[in-house]
Amino acid sequence: DTEVTQTPKHLVMGMTNKKSLKCEQHMGHRAMYWYKQKAKKPPELMFVYSYEKLSINESVPSRFSPECPNSSLLNLHLHALQPEDSALYLCASSHILQGDTEAFFGQGTRLTVV
Amino acid sequence: GNSVTQMEGPVTLSEEAFLTINCTYTATGYPSLFWYVQYPGEGLQLLLKATKADDKGSNKGFEATYRKETTSFHLEKGSVQVSDSAVYFCALSEGNNDMRFGAGTRLTVKP
């Protein structure tokens, strides 16, 4: 199994809603990532979890709250988002602390904030 | 900090043309280098990688060589197909699970 599975594929939410994005992998990877990708832009790193602990937070606003409940799952909790947060949110995973190991990406969740 | 600079697109080629997408990087140490491809509406897929100087990554007819002296990792393909139309991202990672991407180059191949 070399897949990273993200749900939902599409999400529309209001600015007062609370929602969660989910990501799952069963490749034994102990590093998991959230990226945000705006249209025609590269993915921007948001968070990195290593061994289920947050290791990198790229100064992301607190309305985005990541969670790594176990080594296979990664969540991104969303609350009070703004329309400019609309983007494709990509989850990725990789082996830990090995710079030559590629990251495997999910298909993404396309989020629209209205 | 580490960064990647890619040639700006979009790039439009005819089928069977030769492709080069330039990528240069800045890093404090010895990064690994990657090319990822993103098809419309999808996530990123690894195309090829190189982990040390002079390594050549190759896959599906694409090649890139890790050139430390010029800090480059240019992507090449001898004969592109319509199915190669996608966005290509150069990326680097320096062992701290912090992968950084270039701006991306959109390739369109016309029949």
Side-chain angles (χ1 to χ4, degrees), chain B residues 19-95:
Chain B
L19 168 71
T20 299
I21 301 178
N22 289 340
C23 171
T24 58
Y25 67 90
T26 302
T28 53
Y30 302 95
S32 293
L33 301 173
F34 307 85
W35 277 101
Y36 280 84
V37 59
Q38 187 173 32
Y39 298 100
E42 298 188 9
L44 278 71
Q45 302 174 27
L46 179 71
L47 182 59
L48 52 85
K49 69 177 183 181
T51 59
K52 60 183 187 298
D54 301 324
D55 268 2
K56 178 187 282 188
S58 61
N59 185 26
K60 299 180 182 178
F62 291 90
E63 293 183 341
T65 300
Y66 190 143
R67 302 282 187 204
K68 191 168 182 293
E69 64 276 14
T70 54
T71 61
S72 66
F73 192 55
H74 304 320
L75 182 68
E76 296 182 337
K77 186 173 185 181
S79 176
V80 293
Q81 305 300 312
V82 172
S83 56
D84 293 327
S85 298
V87 181
Y88 292 81
F89 292 98
C90 187
L92 69 77
S93 177
E94 210 174 346

Side-chain angles (χ1 to χ4, degrees), chain A residues 31 33 35 37 40-45 48 50 55-56 58 88 90 94-108 110, chain B residues 6 31-34 36 38 40-46 49-51 87 89 92-104 106:
Chain A
Y33 313 75
Y35 285 86
Q37 186 178 24
K40 299 187 178 181
K41 296 291 186 182
E44 297 176 12
L45 186 65
V48 180
S50 304
S55 58
I56 296 177
E58 290 289 316
L88 181 67
L90 294 165
S94 73
H95 288 299
I96 201 87
L97 292 177
Q98 296 178 33
D100 64 347
T101 301
E102 67 266 27
F104 289 76
F105 283 81
Q107 301 265 19
R110 188 159 300 281
Chain B
Q6 277 180 250
S32 293
L33 301 173
F34 307 85
Y36 280 84
Q38 187 173 32
E42 298 188 9
L44 278 71
Q45 302 174 27
L46 179 71
K49 69 177 183 181
T51 59
V87 181
F89 292 98
L92 69 77
S93 177
E94 210 174 346
N96 58 353
N97 298 109
D98 181 1
M99 182 168 285
R100 301 288 172 167
F101 290 87
R106 182 174 300 277

